[in-house]
Structures are given as C-alpha cells and as structure tokens.
Amino acid sequence: MYFSGDPSTRKRVDLGGRSSKERDRQKLLEQTRLERNRRWFVRQQNSAALKIQKCFRGRRAVKAAHSKVREQFYGTYGKYCQNVDRHCFGSDSEFLRQLLFFFNARNAGDFAILVETCRLLVQFVRDSGDTVSLFAGRDYSSDHALVDYRVKQLAYACVQAVHENRDRLKEELLMKPEESSVSTTLLLEAVVLLIDPKLPWVCNIVGYLLQRKAFTLFREIALTGKESTKTATSIGNVSSLERVLALVIPHIGQMPCTCPNIDPQWSFSSQILTIPFLWQFFPYLKEVFAIRGLSQHYIHQMALCVQNCANVLPNDISTEYPGYACLLGNILETAGVALSQPNCSFEMAVDLAAVTTFLLEALPSMKSSSRESRESSMLVDDDMITGDEITEIILNRDLEQQICNAIDPRFLLQLTNLLFGGISHAGNSHDGPDDKEVAAVGAACAFLHVTFNTLPLERIMTVLAYRTELVPVLWNFMKRCHENQKWSSLSQQLSYLSGDAHGWLLPLAVFCPVYKHMLTIVDNEEFYEREKPLSLKDIRCLIIILRQALWQLLWINPTTPPMKYATNTSSNKRQTEQFIQERVSIVASELLSQLQDWNNRRQFTSPSDFQADGVNEFFISQAVTENTRANDILKQAPFLVPFTSRVKIFTSQLTAVRQRHGSNSVFTRNRFRIRRDHILEDAYNQMSALSEDDLRGVIRVTFVNEFGVEEAGIDGGGIFKDFMENITRAAFDVQYGLFKETTDHLLYPNPGSGMTHEQHLQFFHFLGTLLAKAMFEGILVDIPFATFFLSKLKQKYNYLNDLPSLDPELYRHLIFLKHYEGDISELELYFVIVNNEYGEQTEEELLPDGKNLRVTNENVITFIHLVANHRLNFQIRQQSSHFLRGFQLLIQKDWIDMFNEHELQLLISGSLDSLDVDDIRLNTNYAGGYHKEHYVIEMFWEVLKSFSLENQKKFLKFVTGCSRGPLLGFRYLEPLFCIQRAAGNASEEALDRLPTSATCMNLLKLPPYRSKEQMETKLLYAINADAGFDLS
C-alpha cells in the first residue's frame, strides 16, 4: 500500500447498512452453491456420455451379431431360402431362431427373406394340412413354450414388415388372398394361418399381438391402403388384412378365449372403429362385428370409458374427419344389425344409447342450413378471428350423411323397442318407476335430446310420434313420478345430468317436441272423441306439470343460457344442464301454447289451468319494463299471465306510444272529410297518404251526408270512433269481394280477390292498417275473423286441425282418406288440387309433377297435409302478407304475441256476451241534478235492461261511438260514462225532446221523462234514427 501523505487513520464507513463480514458471507455461500451446481452438471454430462457410449457400443455389437447370424443364415439356407424345406420350421431347427434374431423390417433383404418364408409356410401347410406338426413335430406339449414363442414372434414380424413398408406397398395393402404372388398378401395370409382359431396357441399369439399394440399398426396400414384404394372391395372378396382383423377381434377375453384385457386406448374400438367409412372397405368385418355379438362387448367397453370420462381416441386424421365422428358413424352403421340379433340385450341398448349420446354431443349441428351458415360465417368473419378463439369444426359431407342415414326409422324403432320392451305404459300409478325403467328412460331421453339438437328433426319426429311407444311410455313415467313425488330422487339416478338437476328436465326435453309434433298431425276426432294418444284427463294433468315446470325455470329458478351449444368431450354436466333448461323452457312453452289452441277450439279444461299461481302485482309491474325477467316470460310464455293482466299491459303500452305522438293533438293536421255513401274510397285515398308517424297521431273526421252537407258535431273523438266502426263494417263486408265467410260466418281473405279488384293487395295493406288503427286507439270493432287468419297476424303456420273452420266438408273427406283401410291408389287421386273461384276452375300441383304422382297408402298423410296447407296457408299467402305489413305499421309483433288467436279476437271485438248493464251502472257519473237514486235514473236503468242485445249495442254506440264496451269493463272507459239532465224544467216541450249524446265525452243528455214507456220510445227512436251526429 502506498503512503498518501495523511498520517491519521480514518475509520471505514459502510453505507450498506450491514457489516462487510455478513456481505462476504453471503457472497461465499453463493459462490459455493454455483460451484456445487457446476460439479453436478459435469457429473451429469459424464454419466450421459457413458450411457451414450454404452448404448452405441451395444447397438454396434448387436448389429455385428445380426450381420454375423445373417451371414450364417445365408450360408446355411441360401440368400433366397433355396435350401429351406418343411423340417426347417421345426423346433429343433435353427432356421426360425436365426431369422427372427436378425430380422429388420426396414432391410429390403430381410423383408424378401420373410416374404419367401411366408410363401413356403403357406405352401407346406397347404400340402400337409397340419400347422402344429410343422412347428412342433409330433409332440407339441413338450416344446409348446418354444413353439409359441417362435410363432408369436413370426406373426408379429409379418405385421411389422407390412407396417414399416406400407408407403412403398400401398397399392397392395387391401388386395385379396387370391393374388398370392403379392408380398403383403403372403405376409398377412401367413398371419391368418398362424392365428387360426383351431390352433392350440391362438390365444397366446393374439394376446402377444394385442400387447404389442397391433391394432395401432393395423390402423396405419388400413389408412394407407384406403388412400390408394378409391372403391371398396367387391362383394364376396375379402382382403387379407380384413381376414386378419376378423380373426383377431373375437378375442375379447371371454371363455374359452384366455387373452388378457388391454388398455382401451390401443383396442379395436379406439384404433380401428375410428377409421372413416371403415365398413365400405371391410364389409366382411362389419358382418363379423355386428352379427357374432362382438359389438355388445366393444360397445360396453366404450360405455365404461364414457362413464369414466376417459379420452382413449387417437389423434384425428384431419379436421373434417374427427375420430369421435368416424367412430359414431361406424357404430351407428352396424347398430341396426346388432340390435336385430335375438341375443341383443337391454343392457346392450343402454350402452349403445350412452355411447352414441356422448359422441353425438361432441358433433357440430347438422341441421338443415347449419352447414351453409357455418361456412358463410367463416368466410365473412375470417379476418375477425383472434388467436384465442376456437375454430368451429365442419364435418366432411359424406361423414355427416353416414351419421344422418344411420339414425333412420328402423334404428329408432329397434332402439326404443329394446329400451321400452320390458316397460308397461299401463303400470300401477301408485308405484314409482323402478331402476330398470329409470335406466331405460334416462338412456332414451339423453340420446334423443342430443339427437334433436344435432340432426335434422323432420326425418325422425314422425317415426317417434307414430311408430314407437315413446309418447305413452314417457307420459306414464312422468305421471307416476308426479303423483308419487319421485322427481327429486330421479335426478340422482339419471347419469346424464348432475345430481341436483330437476328430475323432470330430461323427460320433458324429449316428450314435449315429440308430442307437439304429434298434435300437428292428429285430427279433431282422435284428440277429442277417441282421446288418442292421451286422454283428456291425462292432458289436464300434463298441463299442470308443464305449467309448474315452466314457472320454475322462468321465474323461480332461472338460469343464464350457455353462450353456445357445441359440447365437446371436455364439457361438464353443468353446461349441459343449463342448455337443457333453456331447451325445456322453449319446448314446454310451445307445447302449452298448442294445447291452449286445442282448448280454445273445444274447451276440455278451465282456461285458468294455463295460468301460473305466482303472478302478482309485482310481476305485472316488472312485465311492463323491457329486459326484465317478467317481460321475458311475457314474450316466451304469455299464457302463464292472466288475460286481464296482459290486456292491462297491452293497454299501457299503447297509451305510452299514443302519449309520445300526442303533441299534435291540439293542432291536428290530419283531418278527413268523409262522404258517408263513399266511406271506403274516401278513407282509402286519405289514409293511404299518411306516414307512419301521422297514423300514430290524432285523426279528426268530418262526415258529409248524402246531400253533400257536413254533419253537425265537432270531433272530439266520438265521430272518429263512429267513422272507424262504419269503415270497418264496409271494408270487411263480403259483398266488397276482399273477404269471404266460412260456414260459421267468420271472415278470411278471399283467395280470388285479384279477380274483383285490380289493386287488391294495396287494399289489404290498407285494411291491415285500418284494423291496427282501431286497436291502437282502443276502439272495438265488430269483425269476427276466422282463427286460421288470425294466426297469420301472429305469423304462425296452420295445420290440418284448423281446416274444419274453413271447409268442414273437405276436412271430412281428408279424414276419410286418413283412416281408409283399403287400397287408396284405387281411388285415382293425384297430387293436384282444384281451385274454384267465381265459377272458374283451375288445377294446381301440390308437388312438382304432381299430376302424374298417384296418392297411395304410403304417401296419403303427405297428401292430406299438403291439401290442408294449400287451403289454409298457400292460397291466402299474398293477401295475408300485405294485411300483416299494414297491421304492423302500428301494432308491434311482440304486443300481439302476448295473445293467442282467441284472445286476439277479443282484443279486436270485445266479448260477444250481452252488455253488462250492472257494470255500466257501477261506473257512471251524473250531472245536471241527476244522482244514482233519482227516479229518472232508476227508470233509465230498468229500461236499458229491458232492451234486446241488438238495441243495447245500438245504445252503446249512440253514447260512446262504439257498439262494444271496454274489454276489461266500463271502469276503463275514458272518460267514464255520464248522464246529464237535458232540460232545465219538466215542461211538455222539454219532455218532447229526444235524448242526445256527446260521444267524445261518453255523455248522454237525458230529459227527465215521466214514464218508462215515454223514455223507452224516445231512446229507441234516437238510437235507431241513423241520423249521424245531427242529433248531438
């Protein structure tokens, strides 16, 4: 150290906050740790180097040994086995020992030797007919261990040789055994010979192959051969590979077979059944698999994997051919044959349903147009896909078709008959379902639920509804569960859902759509008279079950629906349960709505049975607000809410819209001048010129009488109501030609309206707007519409059971055809229908080339429904469409959707019952000296009660401008009805006056008549005068 010139000693200060000794200690520990790690790494490197050197030396030694033995083999037996005879295969010969020792499947020379060996083997066995003596001599038992070892090594070497050289030999892989000169055929035929079921070592050999994952090798061989073979092998010719597989798959470990069980991941089910279109190339294997009971074992094996949620499938060949879809297609294609076998058991059906359910659930939807929508969405949104999003799977079209075609009517019949065969649908209602019944219903419902959401419904619904016992069996099951309160315990037994799910979810998810489909085909006689398929008593019970389930799902315990239903193998039961809840809420509400329609045609239960018990004032207040749970219920299941409550909601919605457009009411810009004798033309010309906003606003009307003079009276609303009643009566008059009457005098669009009015479609648009304006203003009009036409306002489809209201005679003829027991083709009917409008007959084909297509027993149901569709939907489609467009200018679809057709008619026309005079009296105000106990008032109510219904309606129109009272009663009349004294004194001159009215204020100006007779005479004269508003 150098001297700095400063003799003093300075104290060292460490600003680090701790002593240098501690810092040095930490540094020393870190250095020690790094040094220790470095020494450990060097030891690892040295150890790895030793292992590599050891392995290399070992491989080199083995290779040298192989080469040495190979040279010895060449010297003894020849390079092409020219010195080999039948004794060389014996246990005391070195031939097989040396060959199996040095054999390398990738060595061309070794491959050629093995092929020649197999050729000689086949030849020697063919000559002698005894395989055992060829390998073991006369005493197999003494050398069986050595013989078995050599045979299984030889068999595996043959399979391995084909597998390793599959790309080079791909044109030969699926060749037939007749082509014996082909190397792959010789190798595989040798395997066939070695695993002949009659040989004593067969289980040892097959067991060894299975343990060496032979099915994985067979899979890759088959896939390579399939790529080069565009068509399936011809019928009657079985390829050598197919023969090998057919001999291996019966070894399932059941007596007398002693083969060990193998990991399902390497089994026939996972490796071979996942090959696309397997049976097209291996038809003989399909027969072996389906007929000999093997499918039952393999499907049970797969069912166990499903229960354990084990993923044992190999990697997908491509995105178009996922393994689970290929497996499903192959299973379903053989399922029909397997289910038809006499030894097919109930357990087999349950397992098959479980496996197919699991695999179907993983599929993307294959419903009509789903592929097009998926493909178009992928094209449109391709640039929007982010890295985190999952690419949606689109199956190969042929694979989709294989799956769809396999779930055919025959398969559905077989499966449901096996599952429900032991279940009586007339069981004791006092007993709950037993375990077998629960298993059958659970398996069938899980399979069908997934099928409904994956495959096109039109192919399977009719079969399930009419050719299986599904509906009666499921109904009996649900009824007994409901009566015995077994739903809670049932949910724990249905394996498809979680234990806390509602027990009725799965049965309802299947029962509702099938029974709903059945109701579209069943006729009125079957439903009401013969009470098929369910009795009316049972239907009343069903309504209660559906109503309670729906209320539980929508209000008490609602769930958020899953974002998407595309369940894959990793999906959990909770997501499945949420989807089923959402699905059941839809199908149950649709079925209840349909049952309500049947009840409206002919009442078999109280309308209140459809209403939920929990609807209260809080619910009603919430229902008015958008995006609330109550509002959603009102849109999806409005029948749960009492009709009067829905009318109040509808009225409040109309009032809110009118208030928003009521700013111009003081300064009305829409004033109509209407000639009474040209009311329709004037109204059409003036109303058609209005915009949508103007239509929602206030319209004032001035009438002009037949003399061209404007009638007295200022329109404060009453004249407009009178105008609306008169214009609707004129416009919907059948004499005008736009509408026709049914036999019950109900109105529907005239199919031939275009023959009488050139602009008939514009008039229908106008009439739709006119009816909407009446409803918008709360004006009831006396127009009785046919139910099937009101369905068009709700954009619904009409079915056969709606036809009696239009053409009862045609309906009777169609029902006669439906139940005709003879040969319908003898009736000489074709798929054409004759239209007769104004004496002009025209023929229309119901199907392309229908005039040449005869009606037979097989297609009569289709014919019946096409005829009904033509009359109820097709003929009036244009008129209904234009009417609906005009109607929706003012009345929103979701407002109308709150009501069924019967209720919609009440909204339009009010009740057809007699006028409730007591209701008017309770909601009447008095003025000018009158009060409710005044003798003139007492006399007035007695006179009004004595009027006929027609005169009561005329009186109501006289004082309010409308012949129908408010829908919910006169307490909702705005303003309330009022009776005012018309004369200040009771002089003879005053008493001779007629009563007058101010309809805009619902006001009756009544002189104080002295007698009932005088009051009745004056009132009848006034209400029948037809003097417009000149009396006001």
Side-chain angles (χ1 to χ4, degrees):
M1 182 175 180
Y2 296 100
F3 178 62
S4 63
D6 185 359
S8 61
T9 302
R10 295 187 178 183
K11 185 179 179 181
R12 297 179 61 185
V13 178
D14 186 359
L15 298 178
R18 56 185 176 177
S19 70
S20 58
K21 290 181 180 180
E22 184 179 352
R23 184 172 65 248
D24 293 343
R25 180 173 173 272
Q26 291 295 333
K27 185 175 180 181
L28 178 63
L29 290 175
E30 181 65 19
Q31 289 175 346
T32 303
R33 187 182 65 79
L34 292 174
E35 187 67 23
R36 184 168 58 247
N37 289 343
R38 188 185 65 77
R39 288 195 302 272
W40 176 83
F41 184 70
V42 170
R43 284 197 303 273
Q44 291 291 102
Q45 281 184 318
N46 292 337
S47 175
L50 289 174
K51 287 180 181 178
I52 292 172
Q53 292 168 8
K54 183 179 179 181
C55 180
F56 175 76
R57 287 194 299 269
R59 291 292 180 92
R60 187 172 60 180
V62 169
K63 189 174 181 180
H66 284 170
S67 299
K68 182 179 178 181
V69 174
R70 186 181 286 113
E71 291 301 323
Q72 292 175 359
F73 181 89
Y74 289 164
T76 306
Y77 303 104
K79 195 169 184 179
Y80 302 102
C81 297
Q82 58 267 35
N83 301 327
V84 175
D85 59 14
R86 62 177 292 107
H87 300 291
C88 295
F89 288 90
S91 58
D92 55 350
S93 171
E94 292 291 305
F95 172 71
L96 284 180
R97 185 189 70 80
Q98 291 181 351
L99 173 61
L100 295 173
F101 176 75
F102 69 75
F103 176 74
N104 181 358
R106 297 179 183 178
N107 185 303
D110 292 356
F111 180 81
I113 292 174
L114 183 64
V115 170
E116 182 62 19
T117 301
C118 291
R119 188 188 67 77
L120 292 170
L121 172 63
V122 172
Q123 179 184 331
F124 293 151
V125 171
R126 187 180 296 135
D127 292 342
S128 66
D130 188 358
T131 309
V132 177
S133 61
L134 182 66
F135 286 94
R138 295 183 178 180
D139 187 10
Y140 166 72
S141 58
S142 61
D143 293 330
H144 71 89
L146 176 61
V147 172
D148 289 359
Y149 177 79
R150 287 184 176 179
V151 171
K152 69 185 181 184
Q153 290 290 338
L154 178 60
Y156 183 74
C158 293
V159 175
Q160 189 182 32
V162 177
H163 176 260
E164 290 295 337
N165 295 275
R166 64 187 184 280
D167 293 326
R168 178 170 62 87
L169 304 171
K170 58 184 178 182
E171 300 294 336
E172 306 173 4
L173 295 176
L174 298 183
M175 284 189 172
K176 302 179 287 295
E178 289 79 6
E179 303 172 43
S180 56
S181 60
V182 177
S183 56
T184 53
T185 301
L186 288 169
L187 292 168
L188 292 172
E189 283 301 312
V191 178
V192 170
L193 188 147
L194 295 175
I195 60 174
D196 188 303
K198 299 175 183 176
L199 298 177
W201 58 63
V202 61
C203 285
N204 288 337
I205 310 307
V206 174
Y208 177 77
L209 293 177
L210 297 181
Q211 288 176 335
R212 296 295 300 268
K213 304 178 183 177
F215 281 128
T216 305
L217 306 183
F218 290 138
R219 170 186 173 82
E220 294 176 357
I221 294 170
L223 288 173
T224 305
K226 182 172 169 289
E227 290 175 5
S228 61
T229 308
K230 300 302 180 186
T231 56
T233 53
S234 56
I235 296 175
N237 294 320
V238 183
S239 69
S240 297
L241 178 60
E242 188 174 7
R243 281 160 56 87
V244 172
L245 289 170
L247 290 172
V248 171
I249 64 172
H251 290 265
I252 54 179
Q254 297 178 0
M255 294 300 293
C257 174
T258 59
C259 291
N261 292 325
I262 62 170
D263 189 330
Q265 188 173 359
W266 315 115
S267 67
F268 174 76
S269 306
S270 300
Q271 297 296 325
I272 305 300
L273 287 180
T274 52
I275 297 175
F277 313 112
L278 176 69
W279 311 126
Q280 290 183 14
F281 295 87
F282 297 147
Y284 173 67
L285 185 65
K286 174 183 178 181
E287 182 182 336
V288 173
F289 177 76
I291 294 178
R292 298 185 187 174
L294 299 177
S295 56
Q296 184 161 349
H297 165 77
Y298 286 110
I299 288 174
H300 179 67
Q301 186 184 60
M302 286 183 274
L304 293 177
C305 293
V306 168
Q307 291 176 10
N308 299 326
C309 301
N311 184 9
V312 296
L313 300 184
N315 294 331
D316 296 339
I317 298 171
S318 68
T319 55
E320 278 195 320
Y321 296 100
Y324 61 85
C326 299
L327 176 61
L328 176 64
N330 291 328
I331 289 175
L332 289 174
E333 199 172 326
T334 58
V337 180
L339 291 174
S340 62
Q341 299 305 304
N343 62 344
C344 188
S345 63
F346 170 80
E347 290 72 19
M348 158 72 172
V350 172
D351 286 340
L352 178 64
V355 172
T356 50
T357 298
F358 179 79
L359 296 173
L360 275 169
E361 219 172 5
L363 287 180
S365 176
M366 291 188 286
K367 293 189 176 185
S368 56
S369 78
S370 64
R371 166 180 284 274
E372 289 75 5
S373 63
R374 293 200 306 270
E375 289 177 347
S376 61
S377 66
M378 287 184 68
L379 290 173
V380 173
D381 301 333
D382 197 35
D383 296 334
M384 300 172 62
I385 297 177
T386 63
D388 295 333
E389 293 181 5
I390 300 173
T391 304
E392 188 167 4
I393 297 170
I394 298 180
L395 295 187
N396 173 270
R397 285 184 182 273
D398 293 334
L399 184 55
E400 278 192 0
Q401 203 62 43
Q402 181 193 26
I403 295 170
C404 288
N405 291 342
I407 304 182
D408 59 3
R410 181 169 173 267
F411 170 75
L412 292 171
L413 278 172
Q414 291 171 331
L415 183 62
T416 52
N417 287 342
L418 263 175
L419 289 173
F420 297 148
I423 300 175
S424 170
H425 51 268
N428 189 350
S429 62
H430 299 294
D431 300 327
D434 56 26
D435 291 343
K436 182 177 180 181
E437 188 172 358
V438 171
V441 169
C445 289
F447 169 74
L448 291 174
H449 163 70
V450 177
T451 303
F452 292 165
N453 294 294
T454 308
L455 302 182
L457 291 181
E458 58 271 10
R459 298 182 64 253
I460 55 181
M461 275 300 180
T462 302
V463 177
L464 291 172
Y466 278 94
R467 297 180 61 187
T468 70
E469 292 294 303
L470 183 69
V471 167
V473 167
L474 275 186
W475 167 244
N476 180 258
F477 177 84
M478 293 191 300
K479 183 170 73 169
R480 283 186 291 138
C481 286
H482 176 71
E483 292 173 349
N484 295 283
Q485 298 298 312
K486 294 287 185 179
W487 289 128
S488 57
S489 59
L490 178 67
S491 61
Q492 299 170 359
Q493 295 174 273
L494 293 174
S495 59
Y496 183 69
L497 298 176
S498 59
D500 58 346
H502 299 297
W504 38 260
L505 270 178
L506 203 52
L508 283 182
V510 173
F511 176 85
C512 289
V514 177
Y515 187 51
K516 174 177 174 286
H517 180 79
M518 184 179 278
L519 289 180
T520 63
I521 302 175
V522 76
D523 58 70
N524 292 339
E525 181 185 355
E526 289 173 323
F527 186 89
Y528 295 111
E529 310 299 336
R530 295 161 63 185
E531 298 191 12
K532 289 186 176 181
L534 301 183
S535 68
L536 295 180
K537 179 182 178 182
D538 282 345
I539 293 176
R540 286 190 284 270
C541 180
L542 172 63
I543 291 171
I544 294 172
I545 293 175
L546 292 174
R547 184 193 70 204
Q548 292 174 348
L550 206 53
W551 188 248
Q552 180 78 23
L553 291 175
L554 296 178
W555 182 252
I556 297 176
N557 189 25
T559 58
T560 304
M563 295 299 293
K564 175 184 165 192
Y565 184 67
T567 329
N568 51 38
T569 51
S570 62
S571 63
N572 53 41
K573 291 184 178 181
R574 182 61 60 189
Q575 182 185 4
T576 303
E577 181 187 332
Q578 288 179 348
F579 177 80
I580 294 183
Q581 288 185 352
E582 178 71 11
R583 184 66 189 152
V584 169
S585 69
I586 294 172
V587 294
S589 60
E590 290 174 348
L591 178 56
L592 264 179
S593 177
Q594 200 166 7
L595 289 172
Q596 191 182 39
D597 291 341
W598 282 95
N599 196 49
N600 289 333
R601 291 189 196 102
R602 189 190 303 178
Q603 187 168 319
F604 57 84
T605 189
S606 170
S608 62
D609 286 348
F610 294 90
Q611 299 167 9
D613 299 328
V615 177
N616 50 29
E617 289 302 321
F618 172 75
F619 180 93
I620 300 300
S621 64
Q622 291 287 305
V624 184
T625 309
E626 285 288 333
N627 300 321
T628 60
R629 197 190 312 165
N631 185 260
D632 292 339
I633 293 175
L634 196 63
K635 292 177 180 177
Q636 181 175 335
F639 43 79
L640 294 176
V641 183
F643 174 62
T644 53
S645 300
R646 282 179 279 135
V647 173
K648 291 176 185 176
I649 294 171
F650 175 69
T651 305
S652 68
Q653 290 170 329
L654 290 179
T655 302
V657 176
R658 284 201 301 267
Q659 288 175 349
R660 287 200 300 269
H661 293 81
S663 57
N664 297 326
S665 59
V666 179
F667 306 102
T668 307
R669 60 183 179 183
N670 302 313
R671 296 185 178 276
F672 290 178
R673 194 171 185 272
I674 304 294
R675 294 171 295 172
R676 282 194 180 271
D677 50 353
H678 294 82
I679 186 170
L680 185 56
E681 292 83 353
D682 288 353
Y684 172 74
N685 292 331
Q686 295 178 61
M687 189 173 282
S688 298
L690 298 183
S691 67
E692 193 172 327
D693 282 341
D694 288 338
L695 286 171
R696 288 195 177 94
V698 177
I699 297 176
R700 298 303 181 204
V701 175
T702 300
F703 276 117
V704 178
N705 63 22
E706 64 269 26
F707 304 108
V709 179
E710 290 188 0
E711 294 182 2
I714 298 173
D715 188 4
I719 299 179
F720 177 72
K721 286 192 285 185
D722 179 63
F723 159 73
M724 290 300 294
E725 190 156 317
N726 289 329
I727 181 63
T728 50
R729 187 185 302 118
F732 291 96
D733 193 328
V734 294
Q735 299 298 323
Y736 199 71
L738 291 175
F739 277 79
K740 294 181 74 172
E741 276 187 341
T742 66
T743 53
D744 296 329
H745 305 292
L746 303 176
L747 297 175
Y748 68 97
N750 180 5
S753 58
M755 302 174 68
T756 57
H757 294 277
E758 190 173 326
Q759 295 183 319
H760 67 119
L761 296 180
Q762 290 85 341
F763 267 101
F764 276 106
H765 186 280
F766 161 69
L767 294 182
T769 307
L770 193 66
L771 179 64
K773 182 63 176 174
M775 294 181 68
F776 188 80
E777 299 294 344
I779 300 171
L780 300 177
V781 290
D782 191 6
I783 310 174
F785 288 115
T787 304
F788 65 87
F789 173 61
L790 290 173
S791 296
K792 297 304 175 184
L793 294 185
K794 293 174 61 61
Q795 301 181 23
K796 283 173 60 177
Y797 188 87
N798 293 305
Y799 293 96
L800 174 65
N801 39 56
D802 297 300
L803 188 59
S805 63
L806 171 62
D807 194 336
E809 186 177 359
L810 175 62
Y811 177 77
R812 284 194 297 272
H813 290 162
L814 293 178
I815 296 304
F816 168 78
L817 284 180
K818 182 178 179 180
H819 300 292
Y820 188 70
E821 296 180 356
D823 186 358
I824 291 180
S825 61
E826 295 177 354
L827 301 178
E828 292 287 333
L829 295 173
Y830 294 86
F831 277 78
V832 294
I833 191 168
V834 177
N835 299 320
N836 189 351
E837 298 295 340
Y838 299 104
E840 183 178 328
Q841 288 192 346
T842 56
E843 272 192 0
E844 281 192 64
E845 293 183 332
L846 298 173
L847 287 175
D849 198 33
K851 62 184 178 183
N852 297 318
L853 182 61
R854 181 175 292 190
V855 179
T856 64
N857 293 71
E858 288 73 30
N859 61 23
V860 66
I861 296 297
T862 303
F863 173 76
I864 289 170
H865 288 277
L866 285 174
V867 171
N869 171 63
H870 181 83
R871 295 299 309 276
L872 293 168
N873 300 301
F874 184 80
Q875 274 194 319
I876 60 173
R877 69 193 186 285
Q878 287 186 318
Q879 293 89 334
S880 300
S881 176
H882 281 76
F883 190 95
L884 179 62
R885 289 178 203 166
F887 185 78
Q888 288 184 340
L889 288 176
L890 293 174
I891 303 296
Q892 299 175 18
K893 182 180 182 300
D894 56 337
W895 295 349
I896 291 302
D897 286 344
M898 288 193 292
F899 306 96
N900 61 38
E901 290 82 352
H902 175 73
E903 295 166 341
L904 189 53
Q905 183 64 61
L906 290 177
L907 281 182
I908 294 170
S909 302
S911 174
L912 298 177
D913 299 335
S914 60
L915 195 68
D916 190 345
V917 176
D918 293 333
D919 184 37
I920 305 177
R921 187 171 185 174
L922 284 173
N923 296 282
T924 298
N925 293 327
Y926 303 97
Y930 284 151
H931 53 84
K932 65 180 181 180
E933 296 178 355
H934 196 283
Y935 77 95
V936 174
I937 298 301
E938 295 279 357
M939 192 164 50
F940 166 77
W941 292 121
E942 292 176 13
V943 169
L944 185 60
K945 268 192 176 181
S946 67
F947 280 1
S948 65
L949 175 60
E950 187 63 30
N951 283 332
Q952 286 179 344
K953 291 168 67 176
K954 286 182 178 179
F955 168 78
L956 196 58
K957 182 179 179 183
F958 177 73
V959 294
T960 67
C962 180
S963 60
R964 299 292 181 102
L967 197 58
L968 299 179
F970 282 90
R971 63 178 294 192
Y972 291 96
L973 185 66
E974 294 182 6
L976 287 178
F977 176 51
C978 181
I979 304 177
Q980 178 182 325
R981 183 167 178 155
N985 52 55
S987 63
E988 290 298 326
E989 182 181 353
L991 295 179
D992 195 44
R993 291 178 57 184
L994 289 172
T996 58
S997 65
T999 52
C1000 55
M1001 295 182 290
N1002 301 322
L1003 176 67
L1004 173 64
K1005 301 172 185 176
L1006 182 66
Y1009 300 116
R1010 293 175 180 170
S1011 66
K1012 287 184 184 179
E1013 292 74 15
Q1014 184 185 22
M1015 181 178 290
E1016 182 177 358
T1017 302
K1018 296 292 184 179
L1019 277 173
L1020 287 175
Y1021 185 89
I1023 64 178
N1024 288 286
D1026 288 332
F1029 284 82
D1030 289 331
L1031 287 176
S1032 297

